[in-house]
């Protein structure tokens, strides 16, 4: 996807894997504020994979749980009556 397509995707609220990874890498390169990372990815063949930086397994599980709760909170804010 070229830069214009990426820009249009962001304007439409679509976050592509490339855009997300470029954003995270940009933060790492600019201010080095990211201490650790976990990820879950769905491959084109439907396989789901995950990975993480050097952390204890309990910390990885906790980070996934926090991520799950943040998604649920975001979903709820979209459903909430106004």
């Amino acid at each position: 996807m070229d830069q214009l397509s990426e820009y249009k995707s962001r304007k439409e609220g679509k976050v592509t894997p490339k855009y997300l990874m470029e954003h995270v890498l940009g933060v790492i390169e600019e201010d080095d504020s990211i201490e650790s990372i976990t990820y879950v990815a769905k491959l084109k063949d439907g396989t789901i994979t995950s990975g993480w930086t050097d952390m204890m397994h309990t910390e990885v599980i906790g980070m996934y749980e926090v991520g799950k709760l943040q998604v649920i909170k975001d979903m709820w804010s979209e459903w909430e009556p106004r």
Side-chain angles (χ1 to χ4, degrees), residues 15-82:
V15 179
T16 64
K18 181 180 177 184
Y19 173 74
L20 178 62
M21 297 311 299
E22 286 174 347
H23 174 72
V24 171
L25 185 56
V27 171
I28 290 170
E29 290 174 345
E30 287 177 21
D31 64 17
D32 198 32
S33 62
I34 295 178
E35 179 181 328
S36 52
I37 293 178
T38 65
Y39 73 88
V40 176
K42 181 179 175 187
L43 306 180
K44 290 182 179 182
D45 69 359
T47 304
I48 296 176
T49 184
S50 62
W52 49 88
T53 55
D54 188 25
M55 294 183 279
M56 294 184 338
H57 289 107
T58 53
E59 186 177 13
V60 174
I61 292 168
M63 288 180 68
Y64 284 136
E65 184 65 21
V66 169
K68 181 183 90 172
L69 292 172
Q70 289 174 341
V71 171
I72 291 169
K73 181 180 176 185
D74 189 54
M75 287 170 51
W76 179 249
S77 70
E78 290 178 12
W79 297 334
E80 201 170 25
R82 305 204 186 256

Side-chain angles (χ1 to χ4, degrees), residues 1-16 18-20 22-23:
M1 188 177 283
D2 62 24
Q3 267 188 326
L4 181 58
S5 297
E6 284 290 323
Y7 175 76
K8 286 180 182 177
S9 291
R10 288 193 309 268
K11 293 285 280 182
E12 295 171 1
K14 298 176 186 172
V15 179
T16 64
K18 181 180 177 184
Y19 173 74
L20 178 62
E22 286 174 347
H23 174 72

